Amino acid sequence: MAIHAKELQNAEKENTQEMIEWLSSFGKTKNEGVTRLLYSKAWCQAQRALKHKMEQIGLNTYFDCVGNLFGKLQGLAVESPCILTGSHVDTVVEGGKYDGAYGIIASLIAVSRLFETYGYPKKTIEVVSFCEEEGSRFPLTFWGSRNTNGFYTLDHIRNITDAEGISFLEAMKQAGFDPAYYQTPIRKDIERFIEVHIEQGMVLEKNQKTIGLVTHIVGQRRYLVRIKGESNHAGTTPMSYRKDAVVTASQLISFLTNKAKEIDSHLVATVGKIEVSPNVPNVVAGEVKFSLDIRHHKAEILDQYCQAIFSECRQLSEALNTEIEFSQWMDVTPVAMDEQLLKVIRNIAVQKNLPFQDIVSGAGHDAQVFASKIPANLIFVPSKDGISHNPKEFTSLEELEMGIELLTEVLYQLAY
Amino acid sequence: MAIHAKELQNAEKENTQEMIEWLSSFGKTKNEGVTRLLYSKAWCQAQRALKHKMEQIGLNTYFDCVGNLFGKLQGLAVESPCILTGSHVDTVVEGGKYDGAYGIIASLIAVSRLFETYGYPKKTIEVVSFCEEEGSRFPLTFWGSRNTNGFYTLDHIRNITDAEGISFLEAMKQAGFDPAYYQTPIRKDIERFIEVHIEQGMVLEKNQKTIGLVTHIVGQRRYLVRIKGESNHAGTTPMSYRKDAVVTASQLISFLTNKAKEIDSHLVATVGKIEVSPNVPNVVAGEVKFSLDIRHHKAEILDQYCQAIFSECRQLSEALNTEIEFSQWMDVTPVAMDEQLLKVIRNIAVQKNLPFQDIVSGAGHDAQVFASKIPANLIFVPSKDGISHNPKEFTSLEELEMGIELLTEVLYQLAY
């Protein structure tokens, strides 16, 4: 394998930067952010432009019936299985240039360099631009990769509308993917999936590493916690008579976050949203609803934490004369990345002298959808200040290039 | 003094109930509540109707230049000082039939009964229907009693508008009180003020008392507390890296409420309003703003509490890697009711076998505006379930009558 970072011509580096800027031009906002929602005009332009770019590189392109775009480099072996690599093209509202987009561009550049240098591979490589992962237009995530894996059908989106009342079905049709022609776009010929992505956290930066080798993607359990107290006059109700939902919620949040720290350093528990009723300065709150987001890469730890908190929260709440209700609205199982390939990737990183570390992904990614069916791997590059889903999202060109260099070598070892 | 509850004719009891219903008809809402905002149509109708009612009873009536309505029963003594009694005619949006209204009606009935039975008093008695106390149309409270005491001028309302953009000055003019004719309506001839009011709390009910003899009206200090942390991804930010404003706020709220309980059983501290930013389940909160409402009837206790919390809150906040800012937007001094008259009222309550107790008012009342200048007293009757500022506000006819009976005897002893 002859490709090393130091040998990359400046022209190639410039190309990476140009590609990032070029893809971010579809859906660019006034704040230098990117808004590219599923099936929107900007999304259609981006997918069509990517298709054209793939063809320029020499890939055979096609859309599946939900709008996932594939660019195929046919393998020479008879009945060649497919190595799939890529990420998602959609963004959140006012997102950045790197989330998702970098993964598609990294795969495109890696495959382009391999093809230029070595010609056709033994095994087929396909670059994918998944139509949707974020769940930022419709209340549903992984529409792209879950279709590819057969987890979704039209039934999952039949009654869903966006914030403007446009139905999912109508949006699909307007983008050129008429639901009337829907047939499950499940792929059974894929051997493994490899994704590169920005970390969206600050672990790599704090540890001064450029490459994060993801060992697991966390499981997520999300709850709505509802505390019912009694709304009373803040002046005329002595403290001892109160059933103050804010006081109960505060004690619970302190307890929940301390307990998470106690159990495991990888466990995170977040209360990000709080709604108080009636939410008036001089009225004791009658009700508080808050979100609880719990993540860890081992189901046992998630179980242990949930068992530890539920009965304790009930007791705390009762002791404060308030009632509590938990309702779960998300349950995502943790998954492990393919350990066999991880070993190979670690070796490559050592040989290439890339500063790397193992890391757990605390965010969800398309790789996790594949990981429940086939070997899948995920490689991170740093996010400056941990910022993501924001126009300030940034990864340096050097870091982007190191990710591409690593992916290129991994694909070479897998397919050539 | 010959008036006892048992001697009241049924006709008189019916009259009290009728008067409550009658006054509540001005501004009655679909939900059987009352909305009678300052200078509104319902307010104008109520004040005009009250004026007519006062005249029927035999009082000489007049409005001052801000719309406070007075009904005068002239005293026989030369240069007679005035005993003022009454309450406010305005309500909150969707308020009840008793808050404010009961105080006006109680005074009217008491004076009417005294006049019928004993004729003209030695000292002048005036019944007042204050134009405004609640602050529910314009962001300003006690417009009525603060004008009577010379604390307000037009300068205080010159730039104020209501939620619909109507200026205070325009609303005054439309109601017939043209600001062009404003001259401070300060009264220097008032010897003392006596108000009866519903408790708006549940202390009397819990203690099975009908009469609350108010010893103090609390001071109020209100703050906006702002916690600044750092907004981060809930999945990719380990607990140890976080600057979670929700976690800091929760610990502070627990601390603040526990500290209030520790310092004094009459001290109340309330966090009624919380605003989280960005308030999204999967994002660590970057900022939390919450209200803090602190009340006690002794300034020393308010000082002690505030001193105890500020430095501790700063330390707690720093220890959690967040910043804190306190900004005070209300500072009302606590006042004592006239102790001399309180002794007299207690004796009357004992003689009349009325179930009474001393009580501190945790809510603000017109009596507190007078108390900083002249002797003032406040008498409570119970609020069912402590409910007020709500169509469900309720006090039984028996309880209303006991309040009137007590006020009648107090006025008799003061003026006849």
Side-chain angles (χ1 to χ4, degrees), chain A residues 199-202 206 222 232-237 239 241-242 246-247 250-251 253-254 257 267-274 276 279-283 291 293 295 362-363, chain B residues 199-202 206 222 232-237 239 241-242 246-247 250-251 253-254 257 261 267-274 276 279-283 291 293 295 362-363:
Chain A
E199 182 200 340
Q200 304 181 272
M202 55 186 97
K206 288 222 177 200
R222 292 197 201 165
N232 281 125
H233 193 295
T236 61
T237 316
M239 299 300 272
Y241 290 2
R242 298 184 176 195
V246 161
V247 169
S250 297
Q251 296 212 8
I253 294 168
S254 295
T257 43
L267 183 64
V268 289
T270 308
V271 175
K273 185 173 184 181
I274 302 180
V276 179
N279 213 31
V280 173
N282 59 348
V283 178
S291 62
D293 173 311
R295 307 190 193 195
Chain B
E199 182 201 338
Q200 304 182 271
M202 56 186 97
K206 290 223 178 201
R222 292 196 201 166
N232 281 125
H233 193 296
T236 61
T237 317
M239 298 300 272
Y241 291 2
R242 298 185 175 195
V246 160
V247 169
S250 297
Q251 295 212 10
I253 294 168
S254 294
T257 44
K261 286 181 202 167
L267 184 64
V268 289
T270 308
V271 175
K273 186 173 184 182
I274 302 180
V276 179
N279 213 29
V280 173
N282 59 348
V283 178
S291 62
D293 173 311
R295 307 190 192 193

Coordinates of all heavy atoms in Angstrom, one line a residue, chain A residues 199-202 206 222 232-237 239 241-242 246-247 250-251 253-254 257 267-274 276 279-283 291 293 295 362-363, chain B residues 199-202 206 222 232-237 239 241-242 246-247 250-251 253-254 257 261 267-274 276 279-283 291 293 295 362-363:
Chain A
E199 N -16.7 13.2 15.5 CA -17.0 12.7 16.9 C -18.3 13.3 17.5 O -19.1 12.7 18.2 CB -15.9 12.9 17.8 CG -16.1 12.3 19.2 CD -15.2 12.9 20.3 OE1 -14.2 13.4 19.9 OE2 -15.6 12.8 21.5
Q200 N -18.5 14.6 17.2 CA -19.6 15.4 17.9 C -19.4 15.4 19.4 O -20.4 15.7 20.1 CB -20.9 14.8 17.5 CG -21.2 14.7 16.0 CD -22.5 14.1 15.7 OE1 -22.7 12.9 15.6 NE2 -23.5 15.0 15.5
G201 N -18.2 15.2 19.9 CA -17.9 15.3 21.3 C -16.5 15.8 21.4 O -15.9 16.2 20.4
M202 N -16.0 15.9 22.7 CA -14.7 16.6 22.8 C -13.7 15.6 23.4 O -12.6 16.0 23.8 CB -14.8 17.8 23.7 CG -15.5 17.5 25.1 SD -15.8 19.0 26.0 CE -17.5 19.4 25.6
K206 N -9.7 16.5 23.7 CA -9.2 16.6 25.1 C -8.0 15.7 25.2 O -7.0 16.0 25.9 CB -10.2 16.3 26.1 CG -11.3 17.3 26.3 CD -11.6 17.6 27.7 CE -12.6 18.7 27.8 NZ -12.7 19.4 29.1
R222 N -35.0 6.6 26.6 CA -35.5 8.0 26.9 C -36.8 7.9 27.6 O -37.7 7.1 27.2 CB -35.5 8.9 25.7 CG -34.2 9.2 25.2 CD -34.1 10.3 24.2 NE -32.9 10.3 23.4 CZ -32.8 11.0 22.3 NH1 -33.7 11.8 21.8 NH2 -31.6 10.9 21.6
N232 N -50.1 26.2 44.3 CA -50.6 27.0 45.4 C -50.0 28.4 45.3 O -49.0 28.6 44.7 CB -50.2 26.4 46.7 CG -51.2 25.2 47.1 OD1 -50.7 24.1 47.4 ND2 -52.4 25.5 47.1
H233 N -50.6 29.3 46.1 CA -50.1 30.7 46.3 C -48.7 30.7 47.0 O -48.6 30.1 48.0 CB -51.1 31.4 47.1 CG -50.9 32.9 47.1 ND1 -49.8 33.6 47.6 CD2 -51.7 33.9 46.6 CE1 -50.0 34.9 47.5 NE2 -51.1 35.1 46.8
A234 N -47.7 31.3 46.4 CA -46.4 31.3 46.9 C -46.2 32.1 48.2 O -45.3 31.9 48.9 CB -45.4 31.9 45.9
G235 N -47.2 32.9 48.5 CA -47.1 33.7 49.7 C -47.9 33.1 50.8 O -47.5 33.2 52.0
T236 N -49.0 32.5 50.5 CA -49.9 32.1 51.6 C -49.8 30.6 51.9 O -50.6 30.2 52.8 CB -51.4 32.4 51.2 OG1 -51.7 31.7 50.0 CG2 -51.6 33.9 50.9
T237 N -49.0 29.9 51.3 CA -48.8 28.5 51.5 C -47.5 28.2 52.3 O -46.5 28.2 51.6 CB -48.9 27.7 50.2 OG1 -49.9 28.2 49.4 CG2 -49.1 26.2 50.5
M239 N -44.3 26.4 53.8 CA -43.4 25.4 53.2 C -43.9 24.0 53.5 O -43.9 23.1 52.7 CB -42.0 25.5 53.6 CG -41.3 26.9 53.2 SD -41.2 27.2 51.5 CE -39.7 26.4 51.0
Y241 N -46.9 22.9 54.0 CA -48.1 22.5 53.4 C -47.9 22.1 51.9 O -48.9 21.7 51.3 CB -49.2 23.6 53.5 CG -49.7 23.9 54.8 CD1 -49.3 23.2 56.0 CD2 -50.7 24.8 55.0 CE1 -49.8 23.5 57.2 CE2 -51.3 25.2 56.2 CZ -50.8 24.5 57.4 OH -51.3 24.8 58.6
R242 N -46.8 22.4 51.4 CA -46.7 22.4 49.9 C -46.5 21.0 49.3 O -45.9 20.1 49.9 CB -45.4 23.3 49.5 CG -45.6 24.7 49.9 CD -44.5 25.6 49.4 NE -44.8 27.0 49.8 CZ -44.1 28.0 49.3 NH1 -43.2 27.8 48.4 NH2 -44.5 29.2 49.6
V246 N -41.7 21.5 41.6 CA -40.3 21.9 41.2 C -39.3 21.4 42.3 O -38.2 21.0 41.9 CB -40.2 23.5 41.2 CG1 -38.8 24.0 41.3 CG2 -40.8 24.0 39.8
V247 N -39.7 21.4 43.5 CA -38.8 20.9 44.6 C -38.5 19.4 44.4 O -37.4 19.0 44.4 CB -39.4 21.2 46.0 CG1 -38.6 20.5 47.1 CG2 -39.3 22.7 46.2
S250 N -36.3 18.9 41.3 CA -34.9 19.3 41.6 C -34.2 18.2 42.3 O -33.0 17.8 42.0 CB -34.8 20.6 42.4 OG -35.4 21.6 41.7
Q251 N -34.8 17.6 43.4 CA -34.2 16.6 44.1 C -33.9 15.3 43.3 O -32.9 14.7 43.4 CB -35.0 16.2 45.4 CG -35.1 17.4 46.3 CD -35.2 17.0 47.8 OE1 -35.0 15.8 48.1 NE2 -35.4 17.9 48.7
I253 N -33.5 15.2 40.0 CA -32.5 15.5 39.0 C -31.1 15.4 39.6 O -30.2 14.8 39.0 CB -32.7 16.8 38.3 CG1 -34.0 16.8 37.4 CG2 -31.5 17.2 37.4 CD1 -34.5 18.1 36.9
S254 N -30.9 15.9 40.8 CA -29.7 15.8 41.5 C -29.4 14.3 41.8 O -28.2 13.8 41.5 CB -29.7 16.5 42.9 OG -29.8 17.9 42.7
T257 N -28.5 12.3 38.4 CA -27.2 12.6 37.8 C -26.1 12.1 38.7 O -25.1 11.5 38.2 CB -27.0 14.1 37.5 OG1 -27.5 14.9 38.6 CG2 -27.8 14.5 36.3
L267 N -21.4 5.9 31.7 CA -22.8 6.1 31.7 C -23.1 7.6 31.7 O -22.5 8.4 32.4 CB -23.4 5.5 33.0 CG -24.9 5.5 33.2 CD1 -25.6 4.7 32.1 CD2 -25.3 5.0 34.5
V268 N -24.1 8.0 30.8 CA -24.5 9.4 30.8 C -26.0 9.5 31.1 O -26.8 8.7 30.5 CB -24.1 10.2 29.6 CG1 -22.7 10.5 29.5 CG2 -24.6 9.5 28.3
A269 N -26.5 10.4 31.9 CA -27.9 10.6 32.1 C -28.1 12.1 32.1 O -27.4 12.9 32.7 CB -28.3 10.1 33.5
T270 N -29.1 12.5 31.2 CA -29.3 13.9 30.9 C -30.7 14.3 31.1 O -31.6 13.7 30.5 CB -28.8 14.2 29.5 OG1 -27.5 13.7 29.2 CG2 -28.9 15.7 29.2
V271 N -30.9 15.4 31.8 CA -32.2 16.1 31.8 C -32.1 17.4 31.0 O -31.5 18.3 31.5 CB -32.7 16.3 33.3 CG1 -34.0 17.1 33.3 CG2 -32.9 15.0 34.0
G272 N -32.5 17.3 29.8 CA -32.3 18.5 28.9 C -33.5 19.4 28.8 O -33.4 20.5 28.4
K273 N -34.7 18.8 29.1 CA -35.9 19.6 28.9 C -36.8 19.6 30.1 O -37.0 18.5 30.7 CB -36.7 18.9 27.7 CG -37.9 19.7 27.3 CD -38.6 19.1 26.1 CE -39.8 20.0 25.7 NZ -40.5 19.5 24.5
I274 N -37.2 20.7 30.5 CA -38.1 20.8 31.7 C -39.2 21.7 31.4 O -39.1 22.8 30.8 CB -37.3 21.4 32.9 CG1 -36.1 20.6 33.3 CG2 -38.2 21.6 34.1 CD1 -35.2 21.1 34.4
V276 N -42.5 23.4 33.4 CA -43.1 23.7 34.7 C -44.5 24.2 34.4 O -44.7 25.0 33.5 CB -42.3 24.7 35.5 CG1 -43.0 25.0 36.8 CG2 -40.9 24.2 35.7
N279 N -45.8 27.7 35.8 CA -44.6 28.5 35.4 C -44.7 30.0 35.6 O -44.5 30.8 34.7 CB -44.2 28.2 33.9 CG -42.7 28.2 33.7 OD1 -41.9 27.9 34.7 ND2 -42.2 28.6 32.6
V280 N -45.1 30.3 36.8 CA -45.3 31.7 37.2 C -44.5 31.9 38.5 O -44.6 31.1 39.4 CB -46.8 32.0 37.4 CG1 -47.1 33.4 38.0 CG2 -47.6 31.8 36.1
P281 N -43.8 33.1 38.6 CA -42.9 33.3 39.8 C -43.6 33.2 41.1 O -43.0 32.6 42.0 CB -42.4 34.7 39.6 CG -42.5 34.9 38.1 CD -43.7 34.2 37.6
N282 N -44.8 33.6 41.2 CA -45.5 33.6 42.6 C -46.5 32.5 42.8 O -47.4 32.7 43.5 CB -46.1 35.0 42.9 CG -47.1 35.4 41.8 OD1 -47.2 34.8 40.8 ND2 -47.8 36.5 42.1
V283 N -46.3 31.4 42.0 CA -47.2 30.3 42.2 C -46.4 29.0 42.4 O -45.5 28.8 41.6 CB -48.2 30.1 41.0 CG1 -49.1 28.9 41.2 CG2 -49.0 31.4 40.8
S291 N -37.5 15.5 30.7 CA -36.9 14.4 29.9 C -35.8 13.8 30.6 O -35.0 14.4 31.4 CB -36.5 15.0 28.6 OG -35.4 15.9 28.8
D293 N -32.6 11.2 29.5 CA -31.9 10.5 28.4 C -30.8 9.7 29.0 O -29.9 10.3 29.6 CB -31.5 11.6 27.4 CG -30.6 11.1 26.2 OD1 -29.6 10.3 26.5 OD2 -30.8 11.4 25.1
R295 N -27.7 6.8 28.5 CA -26.9 6.1 27.4 C -25.7 5.3 28.0 O -25.0 5.8 28.9 CB -26.4 7.1 26.4 CG -27.5 7.9 25.8 CD -27.0 8.7 24.6 NE -28.0 9.8 24.3 CZ -28.0 10.4 23.1 NH1 -27.1 10.2 22.2 NH2 -28.9 11.4 22.9
G362 N -21.3 8.0 21.8 CA -22.5 8.3 22.6 C -23.7 8.8 21.7 O -24.8 8.9 22.2
A363 N -23.4 9.0 20.5 CA -24.5 9.4 19.5 C -24.8 8.2 18.7 O -24.1 7.3 18.5 CB -24.0 10.6 18.7
Chain B
E199 N -58.5 34.8 52.9 CA -57.1 34.5 53.2 C -56.3 34.2 52.0 O -55.1 34.5 52.0 CB -57.1 33.3 54.2 CG -55.7 32.9 54.6 CD -55.5 31.5 55.2 OE1 -56.6 30.9 55.6 OE2 -54.4 31.0 55.1
Q200 N -56.9 33.5 51.0 CA -56.1 33.1 49.8 C -55.1 32.0 50.2 O -54.1 31.8 49.4 CB -55.5 34.2 49.1 CG -56.4 35.3 48.7 CD -55.8 36.5 47.9 OE1 -55.3 37.4 48.5 NE2 -55.7 36.4 46.6
G201 N -55.3 31.4 51.3 CA -54.4 30.3 51.7 C -55.2 29.3 52.5 O -56.4 29.4 52.6
M202 N -54.6 28.3 53.1 CA -55.3 27.2 53.7 C -55.1 27.1 55.2 O -55.5 26.1 55.8 CB -55.1 25.9 53.0 CG -53.6 25.5 53.0 SD -53.4 24.0 52.0 CE -52.9 24.7 50.4
K206 N -57.2 24.7 57.7 CA -56.5 23.6 58.3 C -56.6 23.7 59.8 O -56.7 22.6 60.5 CB -55.0 23.6 57.9 CG -54.8 23.2 56.5 CD -53.6 22.2 56.3 CE -53.5 21.8 54.8 NZ -52.7 20.6 54.6
R222 N -38.0 39.5 45.2 CA -38.0 38.6 44.1 C -36.7 38.7 43.2 O -36.3 39.9 43.0 CB -39.2 38.8 43.2 CG -40.5 38.3 44.0 CD -41.7 38.1 43.1 NE -42.9 38.2 43.9 CZ -44.1 38.3 43.4 NH1 -44.2 38.4 42.0 NH2 -45.2 38.4 44.1
N232 N -24.2 21.1 25.4 CA -23.4 20.0 24.8 C -24.3 18.8 24.4 O -25.4 18.7 24.9 CB -22.4 19.5 25.7 CG -21.1 20.4 25.8 OD1 -20.8 20.8 26.9 ND2 -20.5 20.7 24.7
H233 N -23.8 18.0 23.5 CA -24.4 16.7 23.1 C -24.6 15.8 24.3 O -23.7 15.5 25.0 CB -23.6 16.1 22.0 CG -24.3 15.0 21.2 ND1 -24.7 13.9 21.8 CD2 -24.6 15.0 19.9 CE1 -25.3 13.1 20.8 NE2 -25.2 13.8 19.7
A234 N -25.9 15.3 24.5 CA -26.2 14.5 25.6 C -25.5 13.1 25.5 O -25.4 12.4 26.5 CB -27.7 14.4 25.8
G235 N -25.1 12.7 24.3 CA -24.6 11.4 24.2 C -23.1 11.4 24.2 O -22.4 10.5 24.7
T236 N -22.5 12.4 23.6 CA -21.0 12.4 23.4 C -20.2 13.2 24.5 O -19.0 13.3 24.4 CB -20.7 13.0 22.0 OG1 -21.1 14.4 22.0 CG2 -21.4 12.3 20.9
T237 N -20.9 13.7 25.5 CA -20.2 14.5 26.5 C -20.3 13.8 27.8 O -21.3 13.7 28.5 CB -20.9 15.9 26.7 OG1 -21.2 16.4 25.4 CG2 -20.0 16.8 27.4
M239 N -20.1 12.7 31.7 CA -20.6 13.5 32.8 C -19.5 14.4 33.4 O -19.8 15.6 33.8 CB -21.1 12.5 33.9 CG -22.2 11.6 33.5 SD -23.8 12.5 33.0 CE -24.6 12.7 34.6
Y241 N -17.2 16.0 31.9 CA -16.9 17.2 31.1 C -18.0 18.2 31.1 O -17.8 19.3 30.6 CB -16.7 16.8 29.6 CG -15.5 15.9 29.3 CD1 -14.6 15.5 30.3 CD2 -15.2 15.6 28.0 CE1 -13.5 14.7 30.0 CE2 -14.1 14.8 27.6 CZ -13.3 14.4 28.6 OH -12.2 13.6 28.3
R242 N -19.1 17.9 31.7 CA -20.3 18.8 31.5 C -20.3 20.1 32.4 O -19.7 20.1 33.5 CB -21.5 18.0 31.8 CG -21.7 16.8 30.9 CD -23.0 16.1 31.2 NE -23.1 15.1 30.2 CZ -24.3 14.4 29.9 NH1 -25.4 14.7 30.5 NH2 -24.3 13.5 28.9
V246 N -28.8 22.7 34.1 CA -30.0 22.1 34.8 C -29.5 21.4 36.1 O -30.2 21.5 37.1 CB -30.7 21.0 33.9 CG1 -31.5 20.0 34.7 CG2 -31.6 21.7 32.9
V247 N -28.4 20.8 36.1 CA -27.9 20.1 37.3 C -27.6 21.1 38.4 O -27.9 21.0 39.5 CB -26.6 19.3 37.0 CG1 -25.9 18.8 38.2 CG2 -27.0 18.1 36.1
S250 N -30.8 22.5 39.8 CA -31.5 21.6 40.6 C -30.9 21.6 42.0 O -31.6 21.6 43.0 CB -31.4 20.2 40.0 OG -32.1 20.1 38.8
Q251 N -29.6 21.6 42.1 CA -28.9 21.5 43.4 C -29.2 22.8 44.1 O -29.5 22.8 45.3 CB -27.4 21.4 43.2 CG -27.1 20.0 42.6 CD -25.8 19.4 43.1 OE1 -25.2 20.0 44.0 NE2 -25.3 18.4 42.5
I253 N -31.9 24.8 43.8 CA -33.3 24.8 44.2 C -33.5 24.0 45.5 O -34.2 24.4 46.4 CB -34.3 24.4 43.1 CG1 -34.2 25.5 42.0 CG2 -35.7 24.3 43.6 CD1 -34.8 25.0 40.7
S254 N -32.9 22.8 45.5 CA -33.0 22.0 46.7 C -32.4 22.7 47.9 O -33.0 22.8 49.0 CB -32.2 20.6 46.5 OG -32.8 19.9 45.5
T257 N -34.6 25.8 49.1 CA -35.9 25.5 49.8 C -35.6 24.9 51.1 O -36.3 25.2 52.1 CB -36.8 24.6 48.9 OG1 -36.0 23.5 48.3 CG2 -37.4 25.4 47.8
K261 N -36.6 26.4 55.0 CA -37.3 25.6 56.1 C -36.5 25.7 57.4 O -37.0 25.7 58.5 CB -37.5 24.2 55.7 CG -38.5 23.9 54.6 CD -38.6 22.5 54.3 CE -39.3 22.3 53.0 NZ -39.1 20.9 52.5
L267 N -41.0 31.6 57.0 CA -40.3 32.0 55.8 C -40.7 31.1 54.6 O -40.8 29.9 54.8 CB -38.7 31.8 56.0 CG -37.8 32.3 54.9 CD1 -37.9 33.8 54.7 CD2 -36.4 31.9 55.2
V268 N -41.0 31.7 53.5 CA -41.3 30.9 52.3 C -40.4 31.3 51.2 O -40.1 32.5 51.0 CB -42.8 31.0 51.8 CG1 -43.7 30.2 52.8 CG2 -43.2 32.4 51.7
A269 N -39.9 30.3 50.5 CA -39.0 30.6 49.3 C -39.5 29.7 48.2 O -39.7 28.5 48.3 CB -37.6 30.3 49.6
T270 N -39.9 30.3 47.0 CA -40.5 29.6 46.0 C -39.8 29.8 44.6 O -39.5 30.9 44.2 CB -42.0 30.2 45.8 OG1 -42.6 30.1 47.1 CG2 -42.7 29.3 44.8
V271 N -39.5 28.7 44.0 CA -39.1 28.8 42.6 C -40.3 28.3 41.7 O -40.6 27.1 41.7 CB -37.8 27.9 42.3 CG1 -37.5 27.8 40.9 CG2 -36.7 28.3 43.2
G272 N -41.0 29.2 41.2 CA -42.2 28.9 40.4 C -42.0 28.9 38.9 O -42.8 28.3 38.2
K273 N -41.0 29.5 38.5 CA -40.8 29.6 37.0 C -39.4 29.1 36.6 O -38.4 29.6 37.3 CB -41.0 31.0 36.6 CG -40.9 31.2 35.1 CD -41.3 32.6 34.7 CE -41.3 32.8 33.1 NZ -41.7 34.1 32.7
I274 N -39.3 28.3 35.7 CA -38.0 27.8 35.2 C -37.9 27.8 33.7 O -38.9 27.4 33.0 CB -37.7 26.3 35.6 CG1 -37.8 26.2 37.2 CG2 -36.3 25.9 35.1 CD1 -37.5 24.8 37.7
V276 N -35.4 26.7 30.6 CA -34.2 26.0 30.2 C -33.8 26.3 28.7 O -34.7 26.4 27.9 CB -34.4 24.5 30.4 CG1 -33.1 23.7 30.0 CG2 -34.8 24.1 31.8
N279 N -33.5 23.6 25.9 CA -34.7 22.8 26.3 C -35.1 21.7 25.3 O -36.2 21.6 24.9 CB -35.9 23.8 26.5 CG -36.9 23.3 27.6 OD1 -36.5 22.6 28.5 ND2 -38.1 23.6 27.4
V280 N -34.1 20.9 25.1 CA -34.2 19.8 24.1 C -33.7 18.5 24.9 O -32.7 18.5 25.6 CB -33.3 20.0 22.9 CG1 -33.3 18.8 22.0 CG2 -33.8 21.3 22.1
P281 N -34.5 17.4 24.7 CA -34.1 16.2 25.5 C -32.7 15.7 25.4 O -32.1 15.2 26.4 CB -35.1 15.1 25.0 CG -36.3 15.9 24.5 CD -35.7 17.2 24.0
N282 N -32.1 15.8 24.2 CA -30.8 15.2 24.0 C -29.7 16.2 23.9 O -28.7 16.0 23.3 CB -30.8 14.3 22.7 CG -31.2 15.1 21.5 OD1 -31.7 16.2 21.6 ND2 -31.0 14.5 20.3
V283 N -29.9 17.4 24.6 CA -28.9 18.4 24.6 C -28.7 18.8 26.1 O -29.7 19.2 26.8 CB -29.2 19.6 23.8 CG1 -28.1 20.7 23.9 CG2 -29.4 19.2 22.3
S291 N -37.0 31.8 38.7 CA -37.4 32.9 39.6 C -37.3 32.4 41.1 O -37.4 31.2 41.4 CB -38.9 33.2 39.4 OG -39.7 32.0 39.6
D293 N -38.8 33.7 44.8 CA -39.7 34.6 45.5 C -39.6 34.3 47.0 O -39.8 33.1 47.4 CB -41.1 34.3 45.0 CG -42.2 35.0 45.7 OD1 -42.3 34.9 47.0 OD2 -43.1 35.6 45.1
R295 N -40.4 35.4 51.0 CA -41.3 36.3 51.8 C -41.2 36.0 53.3 O -41.1 34.8 53.7 CB -42.8 36.0 51.4 CG -43.0 36.2 49.9 CD -44.4 36.2 49.6 NE -44.6 36.1 48.1 CZ -45.7 36.3 47.5 NH1 -46.8 36.7 48.2 NH2 -45.8 36.2 46.2
G362 N -49.3 36.3 53.8 CA -48.2 36.0 52.9 C -48.4 36.7 51.5 O -47.5 36.8 50.7
A363 N -49.6 37.2 51.3 CA -49.9 38.0 50.1 C -50.0 39.5 50.4 O -50.1 39.9 51.5 CB -51.3 37.5 49.6

